[in-house]
Amino acid sequence: MSDTIQGHGQAALRTRVRETKFCTACGACVNLCPYQAYYQDEVVTLHVCDLQEGRCFAFCPRTATDLDSLRARLFDPQDLTPEIGAVKDYSICRAADEKIRRQAQHGGTVSALMSLALEEGIIDTAVVAQGGDRFTHQGVAVGEAAEVRKRGKSKFIAAGTIAAFNRAAQSDSQKIGVVATPCQALALAKMRMKPFPEKDNNIDKLKLVVGLFCGWTLSWKKLIPLLKTRTNLEEIVGMDIPPGKGQVAVFTQTGAIAIPWEEIDPLVREGCRICLDTTAEFADISVGSARLPEDWETLRSWNQVIVRTKTGQDLIDLARKKGILEFREVPAEVLEELKKAALNKKRTALKTIMEKTGTPEDLIYVDRRDSVICRILG
């Protein structure tokens, strides 16, 4: 996007990201200073800052990002794929503990791994999302495995999780793990590059990132009026996306409500429509719902897992050794189907970006010379 605002501080962030609706509400620009806050599912300005360069701008996943440099810094080159990033290992698994699975969205793998990391001292603090008043969501730092397991459901609404990480990194916490969506994992990766060495945000306290597969999040302000036409907000106990049905399922205390995709699509955040990442490529481990040739009720109890780093591999190996996770055979075509779906999302996002900018030379936050982009666009 044309460089109409000089500098790389709060003013540029507001003009280039928030006013253009590209903000994902990841929370990376919050709790770094007193000037910005997270409210409902938006970042709001409390005070104007006149700095020409700031961490708020540098860490944002929707400002200019050198993805090739991040990949080179964080992953083994031999593991990189153009579709889903680094793949050191791939598996279908779930929490062995049925109680964890019942509290989770699908197979409970994320809850099981974060709980294990806390119990083994790999981390002393877990940053996760939790529901709040009137269906709002926010990030929270917890220190007990039971607290992680209570927050295992998917939210489909931004939670500002990285704002909670920024707060935790300034506390007595020394080893922090984060459950992150793709944009949140990208923000953490940009922090790890330490663009301001004198203000590195205690990023070295970050010891583990468990990523979540994500297609989009919804605008809280738009979603609430729609939900109110179908049920009382207090009765909602969960949401899900049954594969192949073109609808979102809203679970209440008295049953399930199906909302057609045509009503959901206008609620998707604009910042999600330009996202190239389905599988949280900048995490240590990425987890999503399983996609297998079986019925939905069976699928809901399994996850597909991508291991990307040695940290992730060590945790998965430990979970296998201790019987925390149970694994099943992976059909040969499943990983290829995932790559195909992820590549389609990249192509769709790039098309949307070029429609907004009017040129393939301006890809908003992505460098046209990026190796993956060159492979897709030629």
Side-chain angles (χ1 to χ4, degrees), residues 4 8 16 34 38 50 55 73 82 135 186 197 201 227 242-243 282 289 296 304 361:
T4 55
H8 300 90
R16 298 179 191 176
Y38 191 80
D50 59 3
R55 290 174 292 172
R73 168 76 177 273
F135 215 69
L186 178 55
N201 197 41
L227 291 177
F282 292 96
S289 60
W296 175 230
Q304 52 184 332
E361 302 306 317

Side-chain angles (χ1 to χ4, degrees), residues 40-278:
Q40 294 176 344
D41 71 339
E42 301 288 347
V43 173
V44 297
T45 299
L46 300 178
H47 308 284
V48 174
C49 171
D50 59 3
L51 289 178
Q52 291 299 299
E53 288 191 321
R55 290 174 292 172
C56 58
F57 187 94
F59 299 160
C60 175
R62 291 295 176 265
T63 59
T65 303
D66 185 346
L67 295 175
D68 276 334
S69 293
L70 293 180
R71 297 185 193 106
R73 168 76 177 273
L74 299 174
F75 305 110
D76 291 338
Q78 63 188 16
D79 295 333
L80 291 172
T81 73
E83 302 93 347
I84 57 174
V87 181
K88 195 172 285 296
D89 189 21
Y90 176 78
S91 60
I92 302 292
C93 62
R94 66 182 182 183
D97 188 336
E98 187 178 355
K99 293 180 181 177
I100 294 179
R101 296 204 300 270
R102 284 202 299 266
Q103 290 179 291
Q105 184 75 9
H106 291 137
T109 299
V110 173
S111 296
L113 289 174
M114 293 299 283
S115 297
L116 177 62
L118 280 168
E119 291 166 348
E120 293 292 323
I122 297 169
I123 59 175
D124 58 36
T125 301
V127 176
V128 298
Q130 73 170 6
D133 182 45
R134 298 182 68 234
F135 215 69
T136 57
H137 293 78
Q138 63 181 356
V140 61
V142 300
E144 301 293 334
E147 296 299 313
V148 170
R149 294 195 284 268
K150 288 195 300 187
R151 298 168 171 85
K153 296 290 186 181
S154 293
K155 311 303 187 291
F156 300 98
I157 295 176
T161 300
I162 308 305
F165 167 78
N166 288 337
R167 186 185 300 112
Q170 298 170 43
S171 73
D172 293 335
S173 298
Q174 297 300 316
K175 296 182 288 185
I176 304 172
V178 181
V179 177
T181 59
C183 59
Q184 293 165 354
L186 178 55
L188 290 170
K190 294 179 77 170
M191 291 179 184
R192 279 174 156 162
M193 297 297 281
K194 299 183 178 180
F196 298 94
E198 74 284 5
K199 295 180 179 179
D200 67 9
N201 197 41
N202 295 316
I203 190 60
D204 289 339
K205 290 185 176 181
L206 180 64
K207 302 301 181 184
L208 175 68
V209 179
V210 175
L212 303 173
F213 289 17
C214 178
W216 37 260
T217 57
L218 303 174
S219 162
W220 177 83
K221 291 180 180 177
K222 295 179 179 178
L223 176 62
I224 294 306
L226 175 63
L227 291 177
K228 284 183 175 178
T229 66
R230 309 300 172 90
T231 185
N232 293 324
L233 298 182
E234 292 75 16
E235 294 188 359
I236 296 174
V237 296
M239 296 174 63
D240 212 335
I241 310 169
K245 293 185 178 297
Q247 62 187 31
V248 168
V250 178
F251 302 109
T252 73
Q253 296 172 4
T254 56
I257 300 169
I259 302 180
W261 176 250
E262 290 74 16
E263 294 185 66
I264 294 294
D265 183 66
L267 316 184
V268 174
R269 299 181 71 97
E270 288 303 310
C272 298
R273 298 187 191 279
I274 62 170
C275 178
L276 283 74
D277 186 357
T278 302

Side-chain angles (χ1 to χ4, degrees), residues 348-364:
T348 300
L350 286 170
K351 179 181 178 183
T352 301
I353 290 172
M354 290 186 286
E355 288 174 351
K356 290 181 178 295
T357 65
T359 171
E361 302 306 317
D362 183 354
L363 300 180
I364 302 177

